[in-house]
Amino acid sequence: MLSNTSRQAIVAAVFSLGLAGATGAATAAELVFWSMWNEPEPQAAALRQVMDAYTAAHPDTTFKVVWNGRQNQTKLRAALQAGTPVDFMDQDADQLAGGLQKEGLGHDLSADFDQATRDAFLPGTLELFNTEGKITQVPYVYNTVNFWYNKDMLAEVGGTVPATFDDLLALCGTVKAAGKSALVIEGNVAFYNVLYFSHYLARESGAGALVKVFEDKSGDGWKSPAVLAAAKATRGLWDQGCIAEDARGFQYPAGQQTIALGDTMGELVGSWLPTELTESAGADFPWGAFNFPAVKDGAGQSTDIEVGLLSMMVLKDSKNAQEAADFVKYVGSEEAQKILVEASGVGVTRKGVAWPAALADAYTSAEQATALSAFGGGLGVAYPEFTSTILNPEYNNMFLGQTTPEQFVETMAAKTKEYWAAQ
């Protein structure tokens, strides 16, 4: 026979359970987040603010963060194999697409994103890395690839933003006549320099052209007139005096520093450049950005852009997948995206959220984009090893004058045929 105390305890427990069921009270969840940022970075501080804002509105959800830095995906893969529980993570979107996403380790978020939520993203960003229409990563930071330049210098030499590649060459001559260099490179950063090739080829043949060339398994895609034209035209930037001769020997970040010093007008690179040069160029540096210009009679549009997105992914085996999905969705909200802009000075993926003043032209580029490709034409997403070990160094050798455009074409055709024969 139960005592009064026992009966009261049972009644209280039943009442409590009934109340929880009636009100839909949430179960407390501590979400484990592994991040690509280092804790001292402003982006980490901004994400902490976003998490704090979410917890303030959802007191039952808290966060445990591991700040891993840029090797986050590599470290996470090892941790998952060891059985470490992780709910969600972030990484460069192209690396993620070729890594954990390709390995099927992402949770399908499609049901969590209705049409209105999808439409709130800037054009193409949410769809760029979808797999068979499924959303497994959600971009939240947006870097565009543009020519980043000194607006005051452009005005001083009497130049205008080039609409065509021929206009760009003419601008190079105008800047050179004023005793400056129009463009600069980092001689040792091949994956930056290949941007010239991927962009020119896309302007000639349309977005995604580089991937199509490589996926001709015979290797003959490289022997098309468009590829040779792209190699010759970009190599020709040196002959036209667009790039100072000594830039061949620049070791990062020596090249971009010449922009801060006023010796060079601009560089083809991601929209992280103004942030990287804030200390040396100053917060009030007159940054402008323009897209890679059109090529005469080309199939691609100058509004087709290459991008470097950063994304979040909920892990397939997360024990708190729904709670993590709700938070990742919140990161794309207007409130969270404004925090990221204001606290860390980045571009973001939501329509209508203004980017920092220095990135204003990049926001326009993103807003008006007609097609998106990943950094370097997207080849590094599906074929990262070939891109890093073959394409980038071989193109850089040609670009810097160590081989000819014709030799580049022949080498790439042979290496591509070898690659596919080994698969």
Side-chain angles (χ1 to χ4, degrees):
M1 185 173 182
L2 296 174
S3 67
N4 287 338
T5 301
S6 298
R7 282 196 297 271
Q8 289 170 356
I10 292 173
V11 170
V14 171
F15 178 79
S16 176
L17 289 171
L19 182 61
T23 61
T27 302
E30 181 184 61
L31 300 182
V32 179
F33 172 39
W34 280 38
S35 179
M36 64 168 285
W37 302 109
N38 296 297
E39 191 166 8
E41 293 182 290
Q43 293 88 347
L47 282 175
R48 178 59 72 186
Q49 288 187 41
V50 171
M51 288 182 278
D52 288 346
Y54 188 83
T55 297
H58 305 82
D60 291 303
T61 302
T62 57
F63 299 87
K64 179 180 179 182
V65 186
V66 178
W67 304 105
N68 276 323
R70 304 304 182 266
Q71 297 301 311
N72 185 43
Q73 181 171 226
T74 301
K75 294 178 180 179
L76 178 57
R77 185 180 285 108
L80 293 176
Q81 291 174 349
T84 303
V86 179
D87 294 302
F88 69 107
M89 54 84 71
D90 66 350
Q91 190 69 54
D92 299 85
D94 50 355
Q95 295 178 21
L96 194 53
L100 296 180
Q101 180 177 339
K102 188 176 182 179
E103 294 161 25
L105 297 180
H107 177 74
D108 183 7
L109 299 170
S110 303
D112 297 282
F113 285 74
D114 59 22
Q115 195 58 50
T117 303
R118 297 177 187 218
D119 290 344
F121 283 78
L122 283 164
T125 53
L126 191 62
E127 298 81 17
L128 181 58
F129 294 108
N130 283 0
T131 304
E132 298 178 348
K134 296 179 180 179
I135 300 171
T136 50
Q137 60 164 287
V138 180
Y140 72 101
V141 172
Y142 198 150
N143 293 295
T144 59
V145 177
N146 317 91
F147 282 102
W148 287 90
Y149 72 99
N150 182 330
K151 284 186 174 182
D152 286 353
M153 184 181 294
L154 181 66
E156 288 166 5
V157 302
T160 58
V161 170
T164 68
F165 193 77
D166 287 341
D167 292 341
L168 177 63
L169 298 180
L171 176 60
C172 290
T174 300
V175 176
K176 186 176 181 180
K180 305 285 186 178
S181 295
L183 302 173
V184 73
I185 66 157
E186 309 287 354
N188 68 324
V189 185
F191 73 93
Y192 275 10
N193 296 334
V194 81
L195 294 172
Y196 282 99
F197 178 69
S198 61
H199 276 85
Y200 194 101
L201 186 61
R203 294 294 183 262
E204 274 202 305
S205 304
L210 183 54
V211 174
K212 292 177 183 176
V213 165
F214 178 73
E215 289 183 341
D216 180 341
K217 298 180 181 181
S218 70
D220 290 345
W222 293 97
K223 298 179 182 180
S224 73
V227 172
L228 183 59
K232 286 183 173 180
T234 55
R235 166 72 174 274
L237 290 169
W238 298 93
D239 301 329
Q240 297 291 329
C242 291
I243 311 170
E245 284 295 322
D246 58 354
R248 283 186 167 91
F250 284 168
Q251 304 290 298
Y252 174 87
Q256 64 186 41
Q257 288 297 329
T258 67
I259 302 174
L261 294 171
D263 297 326
T264 306
M265 190 179 71
E267 181 180 13
L268 180 62
V269 71
S271 55
W272 53 79
L273 185 64
T275 300
E276 289 188 350
L277 288 180
T278 297
E279 186 174 337
S280 53
D284 58 350
F285 189 87
W287 286 109
F290 60 85
N291 290 353
F292 197 96
V295 171
K296 185 179 180 180
D297 299 326
Q301 302 183 61
S302 60
T303 46
D304 298 343
I305 62 173
E306 292 187 14
V307 300
L309 305 176
L310 305 181
S311 293
M312 289 186 174
M313 172 184 282
V314 176
L315 278 302
K316 183 179 66 175
D317 294 332
S318 166
K319 303 300 182 184
N320 303 293
Q322 188 56 59
E323 291 83 355
D326 289 344
F327 173 73
V328 169
K329 183 177 177 181
Y330 168 73
V331 174
S333 70
E334 183 176 3
E335 177 184 25
Q337 296 265 287
K338 284 183 175 179
I339 291 173
L340 291 168
V341 171
E342 293 166 5
S344 62
V346 297
V348 292
T349 53
R350 188 180 180 89
K351 292 177 183 174
V353 175
W355 295 9
L359 306 183
D361 287 349
Y363 177 80
T364 300
S365 177
E367 187 179 40
Q368 297 177 355
T370 45
L372 301 188
S373 299
F375 201 85
L379 191 65
V381 175
Y383 310 103
E385 185 176 358
F386 185 91
T387 301
S388 62
T389 62
I390 305 296
L391 172 62
N392 290 351
E394 290 294 342
Y395 177 78
N396 209 41
N397 286 340
M398 185 277 296
F399 185 60
L400 298 180
Q402 297 168 15
T403 60
T404 67
E406 291 80 6
Q407 288 171 326
F408 168 70
V409 166
E410 290 300 320
T411 298
M412 293 307 301
K415 294 290 186 181
T416 297
K417 185 177 180 178
E418 289 174 12
Y419 173 89
W420 287 112
Q423 301 308 301

